[in-house]
Amino acid sequence: MQFLKVDEAVLHYQAIGGPENGPVLVFANALGTDFRIWRDVIVRLVGKFTILTYDKRGHGLSETGEGPVTIARHAEDLAAIMDHVGLGSAVICGLSVGGLIAQQLYIDRRDLVSALILCDTAAKLGNAESWNQRIATVEANGIAGLSASVMPNWFTAAFRAGRSEELAGYRAMLERQSPTGYMATCAAIRDADLREKARQIGVPAICIVGDEDGSTPVETVAGLAKSIPGSRFEIISGAGHLPCVETPERLADIILVFIGGLENRVTLN
């Protein structure tokens, strides 16, 4: 396992080597998850890219640290890990809050972002009332107090009915996150509004959404795609909020086609 101290918090990451001078792909995960959600996508991409994935501050094996947690701070953490590993410019694939982090990284460190893959996300997620209510629920009852309502947003009815063992595992992943870290990132999402900045994104981008996403519905992600100049938009059939879990083959195929198009564009230029 690989760890890096950023400010006063130790962060957990994994770097997987790829072809020399080949593309670099970075994964940023969703609220209440750790980087294991990308496993079934990564196994389909290993050897084709240099890959970095990590547990954001307050999630998985990463500490929360002291002081307020913001999307900008999450982006600073990712930049610190990328600088430490020496990756340079990369394709950033962010899911849900990971998509906000990816957008913020572009705003703050354009030298680290060659393209964006924005999964089941937006430039503004939810409203203050809903996030304050979620924080209050966790304060009162722990993360287990909301996990029953989160699962239908994360996963389709077919997944919940037919893949009960996996459902139990992902529910356990959610409930075992740090309540402090979870609430801190809820507050970060509540306070983030990147809608104006999204219109200024100048790298190739693709926005992807599961057709049964209960957290960021199709129309929400479509709105993000429309706001980013020249971006592509893909809907994955039979997926909820975590297509990396439900339909990893399809998501990996989309990533391969998208990055392949970038390489062709560079060659033609």
Side-chain angles (χ1 to χ4, degrees):
M1 292 190 286
Q2 298 162 301
F3 296 92
L4 176 68
K5 190 169 186 178
V6 179
D7 298 328
E8 73 297 336
V10 173
L11 305 181
H12 178 220
Y13 70 94
Q14 182 178 38
I16 304 170
E20 187 175 356
N21 300 319
V24 178
L25 181 57
V26 175
F27 291 98
N29 50 291
L31 176 68
T33 72
D34 59 47
F35 68 51
R36 289 175 292 181
I37 63 170
W38 298 106
R39 177 193 175 279
D40 289 342
V41 174
I42 288 173
V43 297
R44 291 169 168 82
L45 302 177
V46 166
K48 299 178 175 66
F49 312 103
T50 295
I51 295 172
L52 172 70
T53 187
Y54 75 111
D55 292 336
K56 64 183 165 292
R57 183 179 292 261
H59 286 69
L61 301 184
S62 292
E63 296 178 332
T64 305
E66 302 296 329
V69 176
T70 63
I71 296 301
R73 194 176 191 193
H74 277 306
E76 289 170 4
D77 291 340
L78 178 52
I81 295 171
M82 293 178 68
D83 287 341
H84 174 73
V85 178
L87 295 182
S89 186
V91 178
I92 313 297
C93 179
L95 172 64
S96 195
V97 66
L100 282 177
I101 295 168
Q103 293 170 67
Q104 187 70 53
L105 185 68
Y106 172 81
I107 294 164
D108 296 339
R109 289 288 306 272
R110 295 191 185 188
D111 60 305
L112 294 179
V113 181
S114 60
L116 291 167
I117 301 172
L118 302 172
C119 301
D120 300 84
T121 190
K124 172 68 176 174
L125 292 172
N127 55 53
E129 181 181 1
S130 65
W131 289 112
N132 288 336
Q133 183 177 2
R134 186 176 295 208
I135 291 168
T137 298
V138 175
E139 285 180 328
N141 303 307
I143 297 177
L146 54 77
S147 61
S149 64
V150 169
M151 292 299 104
N153 290 335
W154 278 11
F155 300 114
T156 62
F159 181 95
R160 300 194 310 274
R163 297 164 67 176
S164 58
E165 294 88 354
E166 292 173 75
L167 180 70
Y170 285 104
R171 182 167 180 165
M173 175 186 287
L174 170 63
E175 293 180 353
R176 293 175 186 177
Q177 300 301 318
S178 159
T180 299
Y182 185 91
M183 290 187 291
T185 294
C186 285
I189 299 169
R190 177 196 64 198
D191 298 338
D193 187 347
L194 304 182
R195 285 175 290 188
E196 288 302 318
K197 296 293 186 180
R199 297 185 178 94
Q200 301 170 30
I201 290 174
V203 293
I206 184 170
C207 300
I208 304 165
V209 63
D211 65 344
E212 298 182 50
D213 188 333
S215 293
T216 52
V218 170
E219 58 270 21
T220 297
V221 183
L224 174 64
K226 289 177 182 177
S227 71
I228 298 174
S231 69
R232 288 179 50 195
F233 179 57
E234 289 273 357
I235 300 173
I236 296 181
S237 178
H241 191 56
L242 303 181
C244 51
V245 172
E246 287 199 76
T247 56
E249 303 93 342
R250 178 62 181 138
L251 181 56
D253 286 346
I254 292 172
I255 290 171
L256 285 168
V257 170
F258 177 70
I259 296 179
L262 301 178
E263 294 174 325
N264 291 337
R265 195 167 82 171
V266 170
T267 301
L268 290 173
N269 289 341

